[in-house]
Amino acid sequence: LNIKEPFMYRIVPTLAHQLGQQFPELNTQKILIEKVIKEEEVSFYKTLEKGIEKLKMIFNFIGFSPAVGKEKILDGKHAFELFDTYGFPLDLTELIARENGIKVDVIGFNALMKEQKDRSRAATSIGTEDWSNFSGNNNTDEEYTLDEILEKINDSYIVKTEFVGYDTLECEVNILQSRKVTVKNKEQFQLVLDKTPFYAESGGQVGDSGTLTNEKETIYVSNTKKENGLIIHFCDKLPEYNGVLIAKVDKTKRSLTENNHSATHLLHAALRSVLGTHVEQKGSLVNEDYLRFDFSHFSKITDEELAQIEKIVNTKIRENIASNIQQMSIDDAKKTGAMALFGEKYGDIVRVVEFDKNYSIELCGGTHVKATGQIGYFKIISEGAVAAGIRRLEAVTAVKAEEFFENQIATLNEVKTILKNNKDVVKSLSNLVEENNELQKQLQALLKEKAQSIKQNLLSKVQNKNGINIIVEQISFDSAEEIKNILFEIRNQVENCVCVIGAEVKGKPSISVIIDDNLVKEKNLNAGNIIRDLAKEINGGGGGQPFYAQAGGSKLEGLSSAISKAKTLF
């Protein structure tokens, strides 16, 4: 179609007109949808450009490599690299390859894809035993009536845990069930309690950790998660005896996590205020170290917008707004204006978390600060894209915000020391940058001057063999860029030229080969093939195009033998 710029986003108005009644979001979010599609198209064009460039390099080698039968084959390894590293789809690789008379090794591609999936599965494989009612190491000869036996059987099938962690971080508990799991050959145990103060990972908030203790032992709870409605506690071992335990949540971790969780609510409201009401939460992670917040937005957030968002959140923190948390019916919650997350499932009764009814009201089952002042301070540390139309912010609060500023001040003090405690740091750095730029210009001029001298010396050593003008030399020049310039200048000045240069660049051996286009076509010479052969002498590898190729290695002492070998090739 010869279309070389984004176009699909232009059909959104037509799509909204035709399907807007069935999908109201097409009308309400029309501008956002257009921008997201356009951004995705631009991103794909970049992927396409990189992939085609990489394919051209590969095709150049295939064209001069031994073929299988009469077919040129694109190795499955290369096709997989294009997919895995550059995001280039296999079907597109096949299409472009077919247009160039090349077949793709799809079987090899699929084999590599399977290997990757198998590695991923192996890394996450977990061996899990069945749940069993916990009895510790107790032996008992107690006898039960039929009704008691039936009650116990019923209890074994209907296991529920009461969560008391909104109100307390410590309580007496009993173990109802346990099971052993094996992760990467390491044994762990999972416990279900009759009640628990441990918050189970949910809604982006990480699970609590802490301890289960009795008079004789302490068991560490490393994590808490939910599975089929059960709250599961991850432990390194089982108690020796069945009985009452004291469950105690790590208070510091919970407090810092709550700071970050409440901060995400303040951040969400600030984002909608600054960027627009199209902003919706698309994912989050809150733990004791930082918060991560994903949301819908079509472009990069400017520094000015980030500063405004931070200012709003920190203003709300200083106002020390008390949290108002209530349970109510989903219908009543909607009447309050509480924000629900798209895609989340809510029951008939929901938990509504409010920080100022005119600022932030959200449905949320997580734990939160009593008042926003507890958060201390909010600082955004990164902003970027994670998918088309989805941005991500990462931020720190409280203790981690203090550490962030302490590190920034320490860095600034180091810079001041380097600048001999100059009061105007910015001006001093600007002067240094200007001086460095000037010195770089002078250095480049000197390198070019030296390069011209080396080029003239190389031109004086041209040898003609069978109509080919050959230069094979080892030089002393520590600039890969200027060596490349020398080679191309020689190629332009000398007809039917083959030039092989060896040099030590940045302490490592480097070899470069350039060949006149006529020799590539008429003599079937290939710089890529030559460089791969010579690179063996320096324990290295390289590649390029038929007319120009480079190689680097680790064996510096092999450079002279590589040059000697090159002299025997022509």
Side-chain angles (χ1 to χ4, degrees), residues 151-369:
E151 185 179 347
K152 286 181 175 294
I153 291 172
N154 187 52
D155 288 344
S156 70
Y157 284 97
I158 305 173
V159 177
K160 292 184 179 179
T161 302
E162 180 189 0
F163 177 63
V164 297
Y166 289 133
D167 304 311
T168 182
L169 299 182
E170 183 177 337
C171 69
E172 291 185 349
V173 301
N174 290 285
I175 300 174
L176 298 179
Q177 289 186 327
S178 66
R179 71 180 177 188
K180 183 169 72 175
V181 296
T182 304
V183 182
K184 296 182 180 178
N185 297 320
K186 184 179 179 182
E187 286 188 350
Q188 255 188 343
F189 295 91
Q190 297 177 351
L191 307 179
V192 177
L193 310 177
D194 59 345
K195 60 181 176 179
T196 182
F198 290 88
Y199 180 81
E201 180 181 307
S202 181
Q205 180 175 335
V206 296
D208 281 331
S209 56
T211 56
L212 298 172
T213 59
N214 57 28
E215 294 178 355
K216 296 182 179 180
E217 58 187 331
T218 297
I219 296 168
Y220 178 63
V221 178
S222 60
N223 201 356
T224 312
K225 294 189 177 185
K226 281 184 180 178
E227 183 183 299
N228 299 325
L230 287 178
I231 297 177
I232 299 172
H233 306 75
F234 291 70
C235 303
D236 54 352
K237 64 178 183 177
L238 291 175
E240 291 187 12
Y241 297 96
N242 188 9
V244 175
L245 295 162
I246 303 299
K248 190 174 183 178
V249 173
D250 182 334
K251 185 177 180 181
T252 301
K253 178 183 175 182
R254 167 73 83 86
S255 177
L256 293 173
T257 302
E258 287 177 342
N259 291 341
N260 286 329
H261 197 163
S262 297
T264 62
H265 285 227
L266 303 182
L267 171 62
H268 195 182
L271 286 167
R272 289 172 64 86
S273 173
V274 174
L275 303 179
T277 54
H278 65 275
V279 169
E280 291 181 357
Q281 181 177 338
K282 296 299 180 182
S284 70
L285 169 68
V286 286
N287 59 29
E288 68 272 30
D289 293 323
Y290 72 105
L291 66 91
R292 188 178 73 206
F293 193 78
D294 297 346
F295 57 97
S296 54
H297 189 54
F298 43 79
S299 62
K300 179 177 173 58
I301 305 176
T302 66
D303 291 341
E304 292 76 14
E305 288 170 334
L306 287 174
Q308 191 178 354
I309 291 161
E310 278 187 357
K311 186 175 181 180
I312 291 172
V313 174
N314 283 310
T315 297
K316 295 301 176 182
I317 289 172
R318 287 192 298 273
E319 288 176 6
N320 199 28
I321 304 165
S323 60
N324 180 18
I325 302 174
Q326 300 179 60
Q327 284 194 323
M328 60 182 73
S329 70
I330 185 70
D331 291 333
D332 288 341
K334 288 178 180 178
K335 289 175 184 177
T336 68
M339 188 179 301
L341 301 183
F342 180 76
E344 286 286 326
K345 294 180 180 179
Y346 298 100
D348 294 333
I349 302 299
V350 293
R351 194 163 176 266
V352 179
V353 178
E354 174 190 301
F355 292 104
D356 181 348
K357 64 180 181 181
N358 296 316
Y359 182 70
S360 171
I361 310 176
E362 293 192 30
L363 303 184
C364 180
T367 64
H368 288 274
V369 298

